[in-house]
């Protein structure tokens, strides 16, 4: 019993001595840390866990750049099984590489099955995901790039856009999706296909370029250029001189 | 007449000197030899290590790191094992450990003992450390805990 209490005391003491207070950032590593004073960064080695009031981050190896002193973090570069949970920026991210700029509040995730979630959106890619929380700019590039929320599905090799910064709930103000083969946007009950799809909230227009295909209620319209007015929910499809606009109306929906 | 009055005073003086001189010489030699022995003993007690309270410094372009300890023992010509309350202090940080090997020629230091690093708003506890590149680079070994305030 005496030994039990002794062990318990040491366990409690060790736990207390390593615990983080409010406002502090705690970092633990399995194989130490290498500090480069002139280069102004430090390398955290193996099973790194960073816990702070604002975010938690884990990864196999993490490199932290600082400004004046070690606490003055400017950029975090994490490699291998990276997981980020930002309470302040409402971001969860997974990937094999992560770059987090604390000054610009910019997150970049690279690698297969990269994911970034907010309360409203889910981004995924086998290439790169970049979100700047200050400016609202985002960029998804590579195979299997997707941007989803409750109402919208966006699929394409290159997805870039701007989130609104006015409201707490993020909305897309601008969107540009390109794919060598076919980009896809699903909004409400309309499926939009084209090599390039561009949306601007100011004009309420979705523009489609090359290999355009719009599907709504069983109606398929194909052409070279198309527009969809999100306010009136009406669309137009044009074609180059050599081709004609093709409309297919499915019997099942008539 | 008293017999003593017949003795020449000179003989008495010479006899006295002859008796006293060896006696005083013997006593003084004994006295100094005793003192010398005690000084030797004290010296032996203190100098159980090669260097008492050693002080060194590592300099680079940005700062000077002062190294102090209670004891130091030469491991090799330029390598000194610093023991007990080893401190590295500069304007920017301090490291405290117990056993640190300091290499004078390469200006490096390493330890495999628990070490505590402190700088402004930063505390690092590790299972050892290695200072190299004139103190510009520090490698903390093993399971490491960092607190940034």
């Amino acid at each position: 019993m005496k030994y039990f209490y002794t062990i318990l005391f040491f366990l409690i003491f060790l736990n207390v001595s390593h615990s983080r207070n409010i406002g502090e950032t705690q970092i633990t590593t399995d194989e130490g840390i290498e500090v480069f004073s002139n280069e102004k960064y430090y390398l955290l080695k193996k099973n790194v866990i960073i816990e702070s009031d604002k975010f938690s981050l884990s990864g196999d190896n993490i490199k932290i750049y600082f400004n004046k002193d070690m606490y003055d973090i400017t950029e975090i570069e994490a490699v291998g099984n990276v997981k980020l949970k930002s309470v302040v920026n409402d971001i969860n991210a997974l990937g094999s590489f992560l770059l987090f700029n604390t000054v610009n509040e910019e997150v970049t995730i690279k690698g297969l099955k990269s994911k970034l979630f907010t309360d409203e959106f889910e981004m995924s890619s086998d290439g790169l995901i970049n979100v700047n929380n200050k400016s609202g700019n985002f960029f998804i590039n590579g195979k299997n790039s997707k941007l989803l929320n409750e109402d919208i599905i966006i699929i394409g090799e290159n997805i870039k856009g701007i989130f609104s910064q006015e409201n707490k709930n993020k909305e897309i103000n601008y969107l540009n999706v390109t794919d060598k083969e076919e980009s896809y946007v699903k909004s409400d009950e309309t499926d939009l296909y084209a090599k390039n799809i561009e949306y601007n909230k100011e004009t309420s227009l979705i523009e489609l370029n090359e290999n355009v295909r719009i599907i709504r209620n069983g109606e398929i319209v194909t052409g070279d250029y198309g527009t969809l007015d999100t306010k009136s929910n009406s669309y137009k499809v044009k074609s180059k001189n050599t081709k004609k606009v093709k409309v297919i109306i499915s019997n099942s929906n008539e | 007449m008293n017999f003593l009055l017949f003795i020449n005073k000179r003989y008495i003086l010479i006899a006295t000197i002859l008796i006293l001189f060896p006696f005083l010489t013997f006593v003084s030699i004994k006295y100094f030899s005793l003192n010398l022995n005690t000084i030797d003993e004290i010296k032996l007690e203190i100098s159980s290590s090669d260097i008492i309270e050693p002080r060194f410094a590592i300099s680079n372009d940005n700062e000077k790191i002062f190294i102090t300890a209670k004891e130091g023992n030469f491991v090799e010509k330029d390598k000194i094992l610093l023991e007990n309350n080893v401190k590295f202090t500069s304007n920017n940080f301090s490291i405290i450990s117990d056993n640190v090997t300091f290499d004078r020629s390469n200006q490096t230091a390493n330890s495999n003992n628990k070490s505590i690093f402190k700088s402004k708003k930063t505390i690092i506890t590790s299972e050892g450390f290695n200072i190299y590149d004139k103190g510009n680079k520090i490698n903390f070994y093993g399971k490491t805990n960092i607190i940034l305030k």
Side-chain angles (χ1 to χ4, degrees):
Chain A
M1 204 62 178
K2 190 181 163 186
Y3 290 111
F4 172 75
Y5 282 117
T6 312
I7 290 163
L8 191 71
F9 169 79
F10 276 107
L11 281 172
I12 292 164
F13 175 75
L14 282 170
N15 190 37
V16 167
S17 65
H18 282 97
S19 64
R20 179 178 70 85
N21 295 319
I22 295 166
E24 290 181 346
T25 301
Q26 183 179 32
I27 306 170
T28 54
T29 76
D30 277 1
E31 287 186 1
I33 161 180
E34 205 161 356
V35 184
F36 297 80
S37 307
N38 285 348
E39 294 82 358
K40 293 201 177 290
Y41 71 84
Y42 46 99
L43 283 175
L44 303 154
K45 297 171 191 172
K46 208 177 178 185
N47 293 333
V48 185
I49 299 166
I50 303 173
E51 297 273 356
S52 79
D53 297 344
K54 291 180 179 176
F55 70 93
S56 64
L57 174 69
S58 63
D60 292 345
N61 295 294
I62 294 178
K63 191 176 183 179
I64 295 182
Y65 292 89
F66 57 89
N67 190 14
K68 286 177 185 172
D69 221 318
M70 287 176 73
Y71 67 90
D72 193 11
I73 296 169
T74 56
E75 200 166 73
I76 300 170
E77 199 179 287
V79 182
N81 301 311
V82 183
K83 285 178 191 172
L84 169 75
K85 190 176 181 178
S86 173
V87 181
V88 175
N89 300 328
D90 176 35
I91 285 172
N92 286 291
L94 303 168
S96 53
F97 175 90
L98 179 138
L99 191 69
F100 181 35
N101 190 307
T102 56
V103 181
N104 302 330
E105 292 181 23
E106 190 174 352
V107 183
T108 306
I109 306 131
K110 284 183 195 172
L112 292 172
K113 294 179 180 176
S114 296
K115 281 190 177 183
L116 189 143
F117 311 87
T118 67
D119 266 358
E120 292 101 14
F121 290 96
E122 183 185 321
M123 298 173 178
S124 58
S125 177
D126 284 342
L128 179 148
I129 302 169
N130 174 279
V131 176
N132 188 310
N133 214 50
K134 266 190 176 174
S135 65
N137 289 319
F138 65 89
F139 180 62
I140 311 167
N141 176 256
K143 282 189 175 176
N144 300 315
S145 293
K146 283 179 194 169
L147 172 61
L148 316 170
N149 82 349
E150 276 185 5
D151 310 314
I152 305 166
I153 299 169
I154 301 160
I155 300 171
E157 206 173 0
N158 286 289
I159 304 167
K160 62 180 177 183
I162 304 166
F163 285 121
S164 66
Q165 298 293 87
E166 294 156 12
N167 305 321
K168 254 195 169 182
N169 296 329
K170 282 188 169 70
E171 283 180 42
I172 294 171
N173 279 351
Y174 173 79
L175 180 76
N176 192 315
V177 192
T178 54
D179 196 301
K180 283 174 216 158
E181 290 168 9
E182 196 173 60
S183 306
Y184 171 66
V185 174
K186 184 182 173 66
S187 178
D188 296 323
E189 287 178 352
T190 312
D191 296 304
L192 307 168
Y193 296 89
K195 279 195 174 180
N196 174 253
I197 303 169
E198 193 173 5
Y199 165 69
N200 196 325
K201 198 187 171 187
E202 278 183 16
T203 57
S204 310
L205 273 183
I206 299 173
E207 282 184 88
L208 298 96
N209 280 297
E210 287 187 70
N211 298 346
V212 176
R213 193 154 45 107
I214 299 174
I215 304 171
R216 182 192 281 172
N217 300 326
E219 187 181 86
I220 305 168
V221 184
T222 57
D224 292 322
Y225 174 79
T227 55
L228 188 143
D229 193 323
T230 53
K231 273 186 181 171
S232 61
N233 210 17
S234 61
Y235 62 82
K236 290 175 191 171
V237 177
K238 291 178 187 174
S239 196
K240 286 176 186 171
N241 296 333
T242 53
K243 290 182 182 177
K244 288 178 182 175
V245 175
K246 191 177 172 185
V247 181
I248 301 165
I249 301 167
S250 160
N251 291 330
S252 59
N253 287 304
E254 275 180 336
Chain B
M1 215 168 160
N2 195 335
F3 172 71
L4 286 170
L5 293 172
F6 286 100
I7 301 169
N8 192 330
K9 283 178 185 174
R10 275 186 186 171
Y11 290 130
I12 294 167
L13 190 68
I14 290 162
T16 311
I17 289 165
L18 283 171
I19 294 161
L20 276 174
F21 183 73
F23 175 73
L24 286 170
T25 313
F26 175 76
V27 167
S28 54
I29 286 167
K30 269 281 174 191
Y31 174 77
F32 283 111
S33 66
L34 270 172
N35 268 358
L36 282 170
N37 281 342
T38 52
I39 288 164
D40 279 348
E41 273 172 30
I42 291 162
K43 271 188 179 174
L44 280 169
E45 264 180 45
I46 297 167
S47 61
S48 60
S49 52
D50 296 338
I51 315 164
I52 307 145
E53 297 190 355
R55 285 165 190 270
F56 300 100
I58 298 172
S59 298
N60 60 48
D61 295 338
N62 304 321
E63 61 186 351
K64 196 167 188 178
I65 304 159
F66 295 97
I67 307 159
T68 56
K70 283 199 170 173
E71 292 164 34
N73 286 298
F74 282 96
V75 182
E76 285 172 29
K77 189 192 167 191
D78 282 318
K79 281 186 182 175
I80 300 144
L81 177 66
L82 304 169
E83 290 171 290
N84 295 329
N85 201 24
V86 187
K87 283 182 188 171
F88 290 71
T89 321
S90 81
N91 289 333
N92 300 317
F93 70 86
S94 71
I95 303 173
I96 299 170
S97 190
D98 267 342
N99 293 300
V100 179
T101 307
F102 174 62
D103 190 322
R104 285 196 298 185
S105 59
N106 294 321
Q107 297 269 287
T108 59
N110 73 78
S111 171
N112 290 318
N113 282 52
K114 192 185 171 184
S115 312
I116 300 171
F117 168 97
K118 283 183 185 176
S119 74
K120 195 182 174 186
K121 296 184 183 180
T122 307
I123 299 169
I124 302 172
T125 47
S126 69
E127 292 171 357
F129 71 93
N130 176 25
I131 294 182
Y132 59 103
D133 190 22
K134 293 179 179 176
N136 283 319
K137 289 165 188 165
I138 309 171
N139 193 358
F140 295 93
Y141 302 138
K143 283 194 182 291
T144 305
N145 186 66
I146 302 145
I147 296 285
L148 306 170
K149 292 180 180 175

